[in-house]
Amino acid sequence: MRGITILGATGSIGQNTVDLIARRPDDFTVEALTGGHNIDLLAEDARRLGARLAVTAHEDRYADLKAALSGTGIEVAAGQGALMEAAQRPADWVMSAIVGAAGLAPGLAALERGAALALANKETLVCAGPLVLETAARSGADLIPVDSEHSALYQALLGEDMTSVERVIITASGGAFRDWPLEKLAAATPEQASTHPNWAMGQRITVDSASMFNKALELIEAKEFFHLDPEIIEVVVHRESLVHALVGHIDGGILAHLGPADMRHAIGYALNWPARVDLPVERLNLAKIGQLTFEAPDPARYPALAIAQRVMRRGGLSGAAMNAAKEVALDAFLDRHIGFMQMAEVVTRVLDRIETDSGLIDAAFDLDNVLSMDQIARAYAWENVNSGVAAVT
């Protein structure tokens, strides 16, 4: 039986992973599950899967989790140190689905001991791509992407000669505001940004989809994971969300990966890699679908894409700075301190300031420097947020 740990079990990726594992109880043992404030769901899943350890990231919720699992024999822990302990437990396969930069250190801990890491946390490669890849190479750990786009690229590139790759195309739905008049975007509310046309996801990633900051992170992630020249990575708006990525070769041929808008495909591929198994996902009926549409993204509507290109060209720790500033800007938007389009303005201002200090942005890629950049960029971002920008009502 294969030992499994799920970091971020109560989020949308974690819940889809739980679903797949629960369908095959004879194939997996669950070492650890971690979550946040949703104690009831974390406890329910720990009991359902027979987890050895359940961890909440919040120390003040330890008593609640302890009470919820009383009498089960399941170990209970809380706090950041406990998250690291969960990652270091002897599971063969670890799902990295903690949202944001908080997922970096636990993911690295799993890689350092040689566990296969299914990477759903975009920020891990955006903030510290060289460090993550070097850690995996040194320990011999398998690193398997779980984002639908990167899973698609991974599958499309399998066995291919990378020197023949001419272009890599990542698709985007366009998010909640893809048809809104540009002049209305400044007044868009968090509630309006929190509904995705195709995917069922958590609020933060759904808002990031509306701004295309999630796609900006995915561009950087693709560059790092597949060692791509930024100039060959493209984004195309594909409303149906059925083509997840395409790879173009120097002979003019393009290989596309199609699949349903269901994260269990990418999760299941990573869970069972290198084998393929039957998964409980919809089979596409192309005749019924009828047509697939593609269009170029509007740079005025999605300024995050230009920010990603800037970060990929600049390199160094600019990815960590961008991600930290983005997380602060998103928090500020959700709390109505800034408007929807001002999120990109905050990130741009932070990069402008960070890039004036080459000693800072070009510091060595180690965890301390990445975390230091994260904190500095967050502080700069909050300075911008608190500089008198009008709130959305």
Side-chain angles (χ1 to χ4, degrees):
M1 297 178 73
R2 197 175 193 193
I4 302 293
T5 285
I6 306 175
L7 305 174
T10 55
S12 60
I13 296 294
Q15 284 298 288
N16 279 306
T17 309
V18 167
D19 174 74
L20 291 177
I21 292 170
R23 292 169 184 268
R24 294 164 54 194
D26 294 336
D27 293 336
F28 305 109
T29 59
V30 176
E31 186 67 35
L33 299 179
T34 79
H37 284 294
N38 196 338
I39 300 299
D40 290 342
L41 182 58
L42 178 59
E44 176 187 340
D45 287 339
R47 289 192 298 269
R48 178 185 180 193
L49 299 180
R52 295 186 174 121
L53 171 69
V55 174
T56 171
H58 307 288
E59 293 185 0
D60 60 342
R61 302 303 305 274
Y62 172 79
D64 297 329
L65 184 58
K66 185 75 172 176
L69 290 173
S70 177
T72 64
I74 297 171
E75 293 179 63
V76 174
Q80 297 304 306
L83 289 179
M84 294 297 289
E85 179 191 347
Q88 291 162 346
R89 287 285 186 109
D92 307 300
W93 186 92
V94 177
M95 167 57 76
S96 174
I98 296 174
V99 175
L104 173 59
L108 278 172
L111 286 175
E112 283 171 352
R113 62 175 182 79
L117 187 71
L119 188 61
N121 174 281
K122 304 181 201 311
E123 295 80 4
T124 293
L125 285 177
V126 171
C127 296
L131 174 62
V132 172
L133 296 172
E134 188 275 330
T135 301
R138 186 178 68 250
S139 68
D142 292 318
L143 183 64
I144 311 163
V146 172
D147 265 345
S148 60
E149 297 81 3
H150 301 88
S151 176
L153 288 175
Y154 191 82
Q155 295 176 59
L157 288 167
L158 196 63
E160 296 289 345
D161 180 355
M162 290 298 294
T163 63
S164 77
V165 175
E166 186 175 64
R167 55 201 292 226
V168 166
I169 306 168
I170 296 174
T171 61
S173 70
F177 303 140
R178 63 191 182 190
D179 295 318
W180 276 41
L182 280 173
E183 61 271 16
K184 287 185 61 178
L185 292 180
T189 67
E191 292 77 16
Q192 291 167 327
S194 298
T195 302
H196 197 281
N198 299 340
W199 296 88
M201 304 183 292
Q203 183 187 40
R204 296 179 70 84
I205 193 170
T206 302
V207 176
D208 277 349
S209 176
S211 67
M212 255 200 226
F213 262 111
N214 73 318
K215 207 57 51 179
L217 297 180
E218 287 169 12
L219 288 172
I220 302 168
E221 186 181 3
K223 171 191 175 288
E224 296 294 339
F225 192 97
F226 299 105
H227 306 287
L228 300 173
D229 182 338
E231 304 306 319
I232 74 167
I233 312 173
E234 308 171 25
V235 173
V236 65
V237 175
H238 169 55
R239 292 169 177 261
E240 294 82 8
S241 292
L242 299 177
V243 178
H244 302 302
L246 308 95
V247 176
H249 290 274
I250 54 176
D251 60 3
I254 294 180
L255 302 179
H257 178 281
L258 284 76
D262 187 332
M263 284 305 302
R264 290 179 299 177
H265 172 77
I267 295 167
Y269 182 83
L271 179 62
N272 298 287
W273 183 88
R276 289 185 185 268
V277 304
D278 186 14
L279 295 174
V281 300
E282 177 188 1
R283 272 49 174 176
L284 298 184
N285 184 329
L286 296 180
K288 183 178 179 180
I289 293 166
Q291 65 178 8
L292 301 172
T293 62
F294 304 92
E295 57 195 275
D298 180 355
R301 186 180 299 274
Y302 304 117
L305 298 180
I307 293 174
Q309 287 291 338
R310 172 182 180 176
V311 167
M312 289 190 290
R313 289 192 297 268
R314 179 57 184 83
L317 295 173
S318 60
M322 171 196 167
N323 179 72
K326 190 276 298 182
E327 290 189 10
V328 169
L330 176 57
D331 286 337
F333 170 66
L334 292 175
D335 290 338
R336 291 178 165 79
H337 296 313
I338 63 174
F340 180 75
M341 297 302 288
Q342 290 170 319
M343 289 190 288
E345 295 175 14
V346 168
V347 176
T348 297
R349 291 189 193 118
V350 170
L351 288 175
D352 287 345
R353 186 170 176 182
I354 291 287
E355 288 179 358
T356 63
D357 187 345
S358 61
L360 177 65
I361 203 166
D362 293 320
F365 260 108
D366 59 43
L367 186 57
D368 287 343
N369 284 336
V370 171
L371 296 179
S372 176
M373 173 60 81
D374 179 89
Q375 292 304 308
I376 291 168
R378 286 176 192 275
Y380 289 171
W382 278 118
E383 286 180 21
N384 277 282
V385 168
N386 296 326
S387 64
V389 177
V392 176
T393 59

